[in-house]
Amino acid sequence: MSVTAPAGFEAAGVAAGLKSTGKKDVAVIVNRGPQRTAAAVFTSNRAKANPILWSQQAIKTGAADAVVLNSGGANCFTGDFGFQTTHQTAERAAELLGVGAAGIQVCSTGLIGTGDETFRTRVLSGTADAISRLSADGGDDAAHAIMTTDSVPKTVRIEGDGWTIGGMAKGAGMLAPGLATMLVVLTTDAQLTGEEADAHLRAATRVSFDRLDSDGAMSTNDQVTLMASGASGRTPDAAAFRAALTEACMSLATQLMADAEGAGHDIFIRVLHAANEDEAVTVARSVARNNLFKTAIFGEDPNWGRVLAAIGTTDAEFDPYDVDVTMNGVRVCTGGGPDRPREEVDLSGRMTRVDIDLRVGEAEATVMTNDLTHAYVHENSAYSS
Amino acid sequence: MSVTAPAGFEAAGVAAGLKSTGKKDVAVIVNRGPQRTAAAVFTSNRAKANPILWSQQAIKTGAADAVVLNSGGANCFTGDFGFQTTHQTAERAAELLGVGAAGIQVCSTGLIGTGDETFRTRVLSGTADAISRLSADGGDDAAHAIMTTDSVPKTVRIEGDGWTIGGMAKGAGMLAPGLATMLVVLTTDAQLTGEEADAHLRAATRVSFDRLDSDGAMSTNDQVTLMASGASGRTPDAAAFRAALTEACMSLATQLMADAEGAGHDIFIRVLHAANEDEAVTVARSVARNNLFKTAIFGEDPNWGRVLAAIGTTDAEFDPYDVDVTMNGVRVCTGGGPDRPREEVDLSGRMTRVDIDLRVGEAEATVMTNDLTHAYVHENSAYSS
């Protein structure tokens, strides 16, 4: 059901010829109301694609009627022509939906630097085609239409107290923080103001997508959009809604991790007893981005020396000679020296847990990443993406 | 000739049984004077190996009689026992050479967390063995004895105005800044004070080893040591000596790059027209550390979008939509859009040049890196190192 699980939403996914494979490549999700509340968060990369430049402005009203997404080209660094393509996409969708262009969020993903006349023509016709096929059952088609190198669609549905959250995500490479590289649309039939939607979305993404760092490469096109229709007629308890939205985001984030390009291990790096949460994230991320650590996990080698060498590059508060490292439950390093024999660590499964105890304070954070494998190198060297 | 090219130096390299292969693994380089001037720079990683902790203290006198190096274990995170091993190594060498223990620099490289009783015994006996074999022709043996995953020894010799600089280096993985992961010994028979040696060494390493970032992983054991014997009887022109020392460091740094684990391309990322040199380095390094860029070069794909996505993560002064990117002489991106067709770029050779013009100021800097290949993943996953 994906984004059409909550009441008030319709969606469609169509093949517009952007993908050479002929697979679906344009999705539209429409909020039929009665509310048209919306919020979005965007990549913090200064190199932003044209749809990001458009959507960042359009969302400032705290409202949106629809999101139009394509997965056949990033429309990034395509100049004024590319921005006009985005603008025309919003205008075409608005006209067909009978709303204002500022109510249309636009998202793109694919190869940077592509977005010619043919691309524009197909995006515009695909948008019209999708709008003609909108349906309250269209969530799954939409989830398929945003896939690029994803091997499976990612969707989520969470039930609250009389309200529902639905969502879909795509993303398999360029997965790094602020945000992880991806497009996400979340929907709900709960009643929310624009301010509430924005605050909930930022809180939820901060501890989910922002903690996913598959390959350290930050995208130009990331966007997470939340639309609320209010169609349930229920105003949710704020804490309950935020918890549910966070759960939805975590579900989609872990689905992205599990399908990351060429990955063999899903690695949860948890930093314990840090001075504060920011430092816990910094320390965890230094490990998540260390290629020697990532290749060691691929090789199923509990190489805690590479963990300590990685965290030693940060300026977080801790004594490098008084740190514990535990891998899949076996403490292999304590107080700056070897502890249990590394042979006791079993890294043969996909799920990998690395706990780093800094012994300083009370804060903790977990960063999710993947190993660095032959398949990753293959996927990212053999094709332009 | 390596480190024994300048007058006043003797060296040896022996097999002490630290390496399971039976190859040479302990090297000693002795400065016979008349001067015993020395300077050293060390890894900026907070996780420092025991030899680093020792050598940082010992070099504060601005003098050294010898460097003892082993390539059979990092002696890092081996606790008090490991520090005592380093201390005993210095004392044993000092006793046999008839000098004070503070005159002995100690360097180690190999697997972190290893350094048991057997390791200590073999390092101590290897040190004694090497000292018994010291020779003015021993530079090549020493250069071989510090190799780990290096496929070839790295040496350099530069002739000045009546004085000579010699050098050797090892390093193939964990090559990242501040310093690149490696051990380097430089020798000269020029007459230098401790302050002069320190200033020249810092100036030379800042623009050579510090700009080498093969895989973004910073070591715990890096050290570059310069010893000056004064045996030429010549006091060098300061500018000429600094230029020659920089040339020696650049020669060794490019040799390290050319032999980096599993690398298929040597990539020089030059940032032009930056606001200042620090920002030029920051921008270049963001590309050097981007796995998607590195895999694209492995795939011989001139994917300039990945370059712009990488530099967009920095806070350096530039307009992301007004940047030029040139690959091996072909400008593929200008002013935030495509320029020459990517098909014109030939990336089939090992030497790869990426020029990024920020169009802001007058500063420039070059960072050296390698591509990310199947061989890199294999070497760093198949064995503990």
Side-chain angles (χ1 to χ4, degrees):
Chain A
M1 293 287 283
S2 149
V3 289
T4 47
F9 292 93
E10 293 180 355
V14 301
L18 299 170
K19 287 178 179 166
S20 57
T21 57
K23 291 188 176 172
K24 291 188 176 73
D25 46 24
V26 171
V28 175
I29 301 96
V30 177
N31 179 359
R32 297 294 191 187
Q35 292 189 339
R36 53 190 291 273
T37 300
V41 290
F42 302 90
T43 181
S44 57
N45 200 319
R46 290 165 60 198
K48 297 184 202 299
N50 286 306
I52 296 287
L53 298 175
W54 167 267
S55 298
Q56 276 188 316
Q57 292 301 317
I59 202 68
K60 287 184 176 172
T61 60
D65 299 290
V67 185
V68 178
L69 311 94
N70 89 76
S71 55
N75 193 8
C76 181
F77 291 114
T78 45
D80 289 342
F81 183 88
F83 188 79
Q84 288 163 19
T85 298
T86 296
H87 191 191
Q88 289 181 22
T89 304
E91 288 187 326
R92 177 72 55 92
E95 183 186 342
L96 294 169
L97 292 169
V99 300
I104 310 298
Q105 289 286 300
V106 181
C107 302
S108 293
T109 180
L111 184 64
I112 293 173
T114 58
D116 58 7
E117 189 73 45
T118 305
F119 174 85
R120 177 188 286 182
T121 303
R122 291 179 179 174
V123 166
L124 293 175
S125 65
T127 301
D129 185 26
I131 288 173
S132 74
R133 297 168 188 261
L134 285 168
S135 146
D137 299 322
D140 288 339
D141 280 351
H144 277 89
I146 62 172
M147 292 166 63
T148 53
T149 54
D150 308 67
S151 69
V152 292
K154 288 89 177 174
T155 63
V156 68
R157 175 188 184 141
I158 307 264
E159 296 294 339
D161 179 24
W163 44 264
T164 300
I165 293 173
M168 67 178 191
K170 88 101 210 168
M174 260 202 200
L175 279 171
L179 306 165
T181 301
M182 62 206 180
L183 300 179
V184 179
V185 178
L186 296 156
T187 53
T188 183
D189 48 18
Q191 293 178 325
L192 296 175
T193 67
E195 292 72 22
E196 288 168 343
D198 188 68
H200 289 316
L201 183 62
R202 288 179 191 282
T205 55
R206 190 178 71 83
V207 296
S208 55
F209 299 117
D210 283 352
R211 301 270 168 94
L212 176 63
D213 191 343
S214 174
D215 65 356
M218 188 190 293
S219 162
T220 51
N221 286 59
D222 293 334
Q223 180 171 347
V224 182
T225 311
L226 168 65
M227 294 193 290
S229 69
S232 69
R234 305 289 285 262
T235 299
D237 172 74
F241 185 82
R242 184 168 296 190
L245 191 67
T246 302
E247 185 184 340
C249 289
M250 276 301 289
S251 169
L252 292 173
T254 53
Q255 290 178 60
L256 291 171
M257 176 168 62
D259 194 32
E261 284 173 351
H265 289 77
D266 297 340
I267 311 169
F268 292 81
I269 301 168
R270 183 169 64 140
V271 172
L272 301 157
H273 298 122
N276 56 61
E277 189 177 340
D278 282 352
E279 292 199 349
V281 172
T282 297
V283 169
R285 204 183 293 288
S286 74
V287 179
R289 292 189 161 188
N290 188 282
N291 281 350
L292 289 174
F293 165 77
K294 292 158 79 82
T295 48
I297 297 299
F298 169 55
E300 301 180 2
D301 172 14
N303 197 319
W304 55 267
R306 293 182 182 179
V307 173
L308 293 184
I311 71 176
T313 64
T314 72
D315 57 6
E317 183 186 345
F318 65 89
D319 176 355
Y321 306 101
D322 188 24
V323 169
D324 290 352
V325 178
T326 301
M327 293 190 175
N328 279 353
V330 179
R331 195 175 70 180
V332 283
C333 166
T334 186
D339 191 9
R340 303 298 309 166
R342 54 177 76 205
E343 292 71 25
E344 293 182 6
V345 182
D346 180 5
L347 294 174
S348 60
R350 185 169 177 109
M351 168 71 81
T352 309
R353 295 195 174 277
V354 178
D355 292 345
I356 303 164
D357 190 337
L358 299 184
R359 296 179 171 179
V360 171
E362 296 303 320
E364 74 167 79
T366 299
V367 167
M368 299 167 275
T369 190
N370 295 103
D371 51 351
L372 176 56
T373 70
H374 287 297
Y376 177 90
V377 173
H378 177 71
E379 285 204 36
N380 288 295
S381 62
Y383 320 103
S384 260
S385 60
Chain B
M1 292 287 284
S2 146
V3 288
T4 48
F9 292 92
E10 293 180 356
V14 300
L18 299 170
K19 287 178 180 166
S20 57
T21 57
K23 292 187 176 173
K24 292 188 177 71
D25 47 25
V26 172
V28 175
I29 300 98
V30 176
N31 178 1
R32 297 296 193 186
Q35 289 190 341
R36 53 190 292 274
T37 299
V41 290
F42 301 90
T43 179
S44 57
N45 200 318
R46 290 164 60 197
K48 297 184 202 300
N50 286 305
I52 297 288
L53 299 175
W54 167 268
S55 297
Q56 277 189 315
Q57 292 302 317
I59 202 69
K60 287 184 177 171
T61 60
D65 300 289
V67 185
V68 178
L69 312 94
N70 89 75
S71 55
N75 193 8
C76 180
F77 292 113
T78 46
D80 290 342
F81 184 87
F83 188 79
Q84 289 163 18
T85 298
T86 296
H87 192 191
Q88 290 180 21
T89 304
E91 288 188 326
R92 178 71 57 90
E95 183 187 341
L96 294 169
L97 293 169
V99 299
I104 309 298
Q105 290 286 300
V106 181
C107 301
S108 294
T109 180
L111 184 63
I112 292 172
T114 58
D116 58 6
E117 189 73 46
T118 304
F119 174 84
R120 177 188 288 183
T121 304
R122 291 179 179 173
V123 166
L124 292 176
S125 64
T127 300
D129 185 27
I131 288 173
S132 74
R133 296 167 190 260
L134 286 167
S135 146
D137 298 322
D140 288 339
D141 280 351
H144 276 90
I146 62 173
M147 292 165 63
T148 53
T149 53
D150 307 69
S151 69
V152 292
K154 288 90 176 175
T155 63
V156 68
R157 174 187 185 142
I158 308 264
E159 297 294 337
D161 180 24
W163 43 265
T164 300
I165 292 173
M168 67 178 191
K170 89 99 210 170
M174 259 201 200
L175 280 172
L179 308 163
T181 301
M182 62 206 179
L183 300 179
V184 178
V185 178
L186 296 156
T187 54
T188 183
D189 48 18
Q191 292 177 327
L192 296 175
T193 67
E195 291 73 22
E196 288 169 343
D198 188 68
H200 289 317
L201 184 61
R202 288 180 191 283
T205 56
R206 190 179 71 84
V207 296
S208 54
F209 299 118
D210 283 353
R211 302 270 168 93
L212 176 62
D213 191 343
S214 174
D215 66 357
M218 188 190 293
S219 161
T220 51
N221 286 58
D222 293 334
Q223 180 171 346
V224 182
T225 310
L226 168 65
M227 294 192 289
S229 69
S232 68
R234 303 291 285 263
T235 299
D237 172 74
F241 184 82
R242 184 169 294 191
L245 190 67
T246 302
E247 184 183 341
C249 288
M250 277 301 289
S251 169
L252 292 172
T254 53
Q255 290 178 60
L256 292 171
M257 177 169 61
D259 195 31
E261 285 174 351
H265 289 77
D266 297 340
I267 312 169
F268 292 82
I269 302 167
R270 182 169 64 140
V271 172
L272 301 157
H273 297 122
N276 56 61
E277 189 177 338
D278 282 351
E279 292 198 349
V281 172
T282 297
V283 169
R285 205 184 293 288
S286 74
V287 179
R289 291 190 163 187
N290 188 282
N291 281 351
L292 290 173
F293 166 76
K294 291 159 79 82
T295 48
I297 297 299
F298 169 56
E300 301 180 3
D301 172 16
N303 197 318
W304 56 268
R306 293 182 183 180
V307 173
L308 294 183
I311 73 176
T313 65
T314 72
D315 56 6
E317 182 185 346
F318 65 88
D319 175 354
Y321 305 101
D322 188 23
V323 169
D324 290 353
V325 179
T326 302
M327 293 190 175
N328 279 353
V330 179
R331 196 174 70 181
V332 284
C333 166
T334 186
D339 191 10
R340 304 296 310 166
R342 52 178 76 205
E343 292 72 26
E344 294 182 6
V345 182
D346 179 5
L347 294 174
S348 60
R350 183 168 179 110
M351 169 70 82
T352 309
R353 295 195 174 277
V354 178
D355 292 345
I356 302 163
D357 190 337
L358 299 184
R359 296 179 170 177
V360 172
E362 295 304 320
E364 75 167 79
T366 298
V367 167
M368 299 168 275
T369 191
N370 296 103
D371 51 352
L372 177 56
T373 69
H374 287 298
Y376 177 90
V377 172
H378 176 70
E379 286 204 36
N380 289 296
S381 62
Y383 319 104
S384 261
S385 59

